[in-house]
Amino acid sequence: MGLNVWKTKKVGFSVEIVPTIRSDRQVSKVSNVLFHPGILVDLGNNFTLANRLAFETSGRYGFTPVLNKIVKRTKANGYFVALPIPVRFGNDRPTTVTAGFQFGITF
C-alpha cells in the first residue's frame, strides 16, 4: 500500500507500508513489514524518481531509489511502470542490492 502527496508540481512525499507474508506447510503469517518513506521528484516527460528510506521489522534498513514512468494517462487515473532498486544493510547480514518491476494505477 502506498500514498504519494505532491507538495508542488515538482516535489512530493511518498510512503509505502509493505507486508511480507510467508506460507510454510499450510501456515501463513506476516514475517516482515517494510516502512518506506521518501521524497518524490518530477523528472519531466511523465518520469518520477522516488528516493525512499527503508526500515524493516526484520532488522534490515537501507534505501530504495525507484524510477517511475506514467505510460498511459486518462481523465480519472494513470497507469505506471516502475523500476525499484532496493539496497539493504544490517542485522548481521551482507549488504544486498536487487532490482524489481512494478506496475499500477494512480488516482
Side-chain angles (χ1 to χ4, degrees), residues 6-70:
W6 288 93
K7 177 76 174 160
T8 69
K9 289 188 179 222
K10 293 288 184 184
V11 177
F13 174 76
S14 176
V15 65
E16 286 183 335
I17 298 173
V18 182
T20 301
I21 299 172
R22 173 181 265 170
S23 179
D24 186 20
R25 297 185 184 157
Q26 300 178 341
V27 175
S28 61
K29 63 181 180 177
V30 174
S31 62
N32 188 45
V33 178
L34 167 65
F35 179 63
H36 223 195
I39 302 295
L40 300 169
V41 179
D42 182 351
L43 301 176
N45 294 321
N46 291 318
F47 281 96
T48 302
L49 180 62
N51 295 299
R52 293 193 175 114
L53 296 174
F55 305 98
E56 299 185 19
T57 58
S58 68
R60 303 280 282 168
Y61 57 92
F63 59 93
T64 308
V66 182
L67 184 60
N68 191 17
K69 166 84 168 144
I70 300 286

Side-chain angles (χ1 to χ4, degrees), residues 89-101:
F89 314 98
N91 207 16
D92 292 326
R93 293 175 43 200
T95 298
T96 58
V97 179
T98 57
F101 177 78

